[in-house]
Amino acid sequence: MARRAIPDIVVGRLPVYLRALSFLIVEGRQITSSQELGDRLGISSAQIRKDLSHFGEFGKQGTGYDINFLYDQLRQILKVNRMWDVVLVGAGNLGKAIADYGGFAGKGFVIQAIFDTDPAKVGKPMGIDNLMVQPLDALGEMIHAKGIVVGIIATPAEEAVAVARTMIDAGVKAILNYAPITLTVPSHVRVQYVDPVVGLQRMTYYLSTS
Amino acid sequence: MARRAIPDIVVGRLPVYLRALSFLIVEGRQITSSQELGDRLGISSAQIRKDLSHFGEFGKQGTGYDINFLYDQLRQILKVNRMWDVVLVGAGNLGKAIADYGGFAGKGFVIQAIFDTDPAKVGKPMGIDNLMVQPLDALGEMIHAKGIVVGIIATPAEEAVAVARTMIDAGVKAILNYAPITLTVPSHVRVQYVDPVVGLQRMTYYLSTS
């Protein structure tokens, strides 16, 4: 499997396939097809077959995919058949929503520590795991000590650049950035962006104005 | 300008360019270049020039881009040189964080109404504009009455499908979906997804496990 040859856009669709498979499992289903997955996801069945073919042979012509098998395989490919410790920086409204989110469980991620600069927040428990919010200047040491490689930034834009630098210097290699700013990072670090304004503006382009 | 020929991936980069320009404006800058923008965004300058060339001629060889002019042009192209009314469904932790978010101001969007099914939340004020949370069964009528075309879904996955259907039936054409589920929508409707798990899983693929 020549992993380096796989386009990032293909990799980006795998978590969406995994999510769809998890719904099928909840529905008690055993077998699915690229056609059914495609219909559910608004993606052509040919695209799904082509995407999956990068990683191996997961179904047989005419019999479809074994849902549990494909689910396990995709978890393995995405390396989420294990737990990744995550640091979260920002304990404001958004950080609180992320810390309270139950959707990480079973998906490969567990928030291990939460940081903020606000003395009013530091020392207070937050999130589903009741983690004590820690002062931001403890961030680097914690990442380093625990060997954490995944970080979430939920700070204002002004603070995100410095937070990212601290994360990366301490060993973080994957950042989910909710701050509305593009981060400049070394080539060994990946960033995924979550900015509702960018999502909305990308759609208004197509709307008719009257 | 043959708008239909412009790939969606190009459209998707315009809000990111717009965001970078807004930082340059705050910094008091007048002129920028595709090289500088590219350095800030981790995109090649050639890509930026090519993307912008779809929409017209915004800079002169050797003199760069007038920042305010390009900013205004991109706002016009993305149709965010006006305000779009938005309905938000879901007044839980995430909905509250979205309603409290100050980042929509000046970017083209204003949340006009918030809906939830929880009787404990309905009737209480929420967000920076102190909007009274309304019962979900009032959603369709409000969208229809106010001619709203943009919606944000911040509900659990189980409720998102029905909420999207109500939105679309009432006239919504653009949905920002925070619920971790793919929505099946008619071709005249666009959806952008925000799922932190998908963002994180897309990155763990590239991480080494030890």
Side-chain angles (χ1 to χ4, degrees):
Chain A
M1 294 199 288
R3 287 228 163 164
R4 277 184 204 160
I6 295 165
D8 182 59
I9 192 138
V10 174
V11 175
R13 281 191 288 262
L14 300 186
V16 178
Y17 299 162
L18 190 60
R19 195 173 63 184
L21 292 167
S22 73
F23 282 109
L24 289 167
I25 290 170
V26 169
E27 293 167 22
R29 297 278 307 282
Q30 308 284 333
I31 304 286
T32 188
S33 62
S34 55
Q35 185 66 52
E36 181 183 45
L37 281 174
D39 289 347
R40 287 195 176 210
L41 299 176
I43 298 174
S44 78
S45 58
Q47 181 73 68
I48 291 174
R49 286 194 302 274
K50 194 179 161 204
D51 285 354
L52 294 178
S53 72
H54 284 286
F55 303 95
E57 189 68 54
F58 300 112
K60 287 181 197 122
Q61 189 71 33
T63 61
Y65 299 110
D66 179 298
I67 292 168
N68 278 291
F69 176 73
L70 184 55
Y71 181 79
D72 286 341
Q73 292 294 307
L74 287 181
R75 287 179 73 216
Q76 213 169 299
I77 291 164
L78 291 170
K79 298 178 186 153
V80 291
N81 57 340
R82 50 157 282 173
M83 293 300 273
W84 294 93
D85 290 336
V86 177
V87 287
L88 166 64
V89 178
N93 286 315
L94 178 61
K96 188 175 154 21
I98 295 165
D100 280 330
Y101 183 54
F104 292 118
K107 307 296 183 193
F109 305 94
V110 58
I111 294 172
Q112 285 291 4
I114 306 170
F115 298 85
D116 203 291
T117 50
D118 184 356
K121 296 196 176 80
V122 170
K124 305 243 168 73
M126 179 172 277
I128 45 169
D129 291 326
N130 272 308
L131 296 167
M132 212 73 91
V133 176
Q134 299 182 55
L136 187 58
D137 51 23
L139 174 65
E141 204 181 302
M142 163 73 84
I143 291 169
H144 192 72
K146 298 219 169 187
I148 293 174
V149 294
V150 181
I152 300 178
I153 298 179
T155 68
E158 307 83 71
E159 295 167 32
V161 172
V163 168
R165 193 176 305 127
T166 302
M167 283 184 172
I168 294 165
D169 287 349
V172 163
K173 293 181 179 66
I175 297 174
L176 186 67
N177 179 32
Y178 284 84
I181 187 168
T182 301
L183 301 173
T184 308
V185 299
S187 62
H188 73 281
V189 177
R190 294 204 161 244
V191 185
Q192 286 286 315
Y193 293 90
V194 179
D195 182 344
V197 168
V198 167
L200 289 167
Q201 290 183 338
R202 182 178 187 156
M203 296 190 286
T204 48
Y205 171 81
Y206 297 97
L207 295 177
S208 56
T209 51
S210 50
Chain B
M1 297 199 288
R3 288 227 162 163
R4 278 184 203 160
I6 295 166
D8 182 59
I9 192 139
V10 174
V11 175
R13 282 191 287 262
L14 299 186
V16 178
Y17 299 162
L18 191 60
R19 195 173 63 184
L21 291 167
S22 73
F23 282 110
L24 288 166
I25 289 170
V26 168
E27 293 167 22
R29 297 278 306 281
Q30 308 283 332
I31 302 286
T32 187
S33 62
S34 54
Q35 186 64 52
E36 181 183 44
L37 281 174
D39 289 346
R40 287 196 175 209
L41 298 175
I43 298 174
S44 77
S45 58
Q47 182 72 70
I48 291 174
R49 286 194 301 273
K50 194 178 163 204
D51 285 353
L52 294 178
S53 73
H54 284 287
F55 303 95
E57 189 69 55
F58 299 112
K60 286 182 198 122
Q61 189 72 33
T63 61
Y65 299 111
D66 179 298
I67 292 169
N68 278 291
F69 176 74
L70 183 55
Y71 181 79
D72 286 341
Q73 292 293 307
L74 287 181
R75 287 179 73 217
Q76 211 170 302
I77 291 164
L78 291 170
K79 298 177 186 155
V80 290
N81 56 340
R82 49 155 284 171
M83 292 301 273
W84 294 93
D85 290 337
V86 177
V87 287
L88 166 64
V89 177
N93 286 316
L94 178 61
K96 188 175 155 20
I98 295 166
D100 280 330
Y101 182 53
F104 292 119
K107 307 295 184 195
F109 305 95
V110 58
I111 294 173
Q112 284 291 3
I114 305 170
F115 299 84
D116 203 291
T117 49
D118 183 355
K121 295 196 177 80
V122 170
K124 305 243 168 73
M126 179 170 279
I128 44 169
D129 291 327
N130 272 306
L131 295 167
M132 210 73 92
V133 176
Q134 300 183 51
L136 188 59
D137 52 23
L139 174 65
E141 204 181 303
M142 162 72 84
I143 291 168
H144 191 74
K146 298 219 171 187
I148 292 174
V149 294
V150 181
I152 300 179
I153 299 179
T155 69
E158 308 82 72
E159 296 167 33
V161 173
V163 167
R165 193 175 306 127
T166 302
M167 282 184 172
I168 294 164
D169 287 349
V172 163
K173 294 181 179 65
I175 296 174
L176 186 67
N177 180 31
Y178 283 83
I181 187 167
T182 301
L183 302 172
T184 308
V185 299
S187 61
H188 73 281
V189 176
R190 294 203 161 245
V191 185
Q192 286 287 314
Y193 294 90
V194 180
D195 183 342
V197 168
V198 167
L200 289 168
Q201 290 184 338
R202 181 177 188 158
M203 295 188 287
T204 48
Y205 171 82
Y206 298 97
L207 295 178
S208 56
T209 51
S210 51

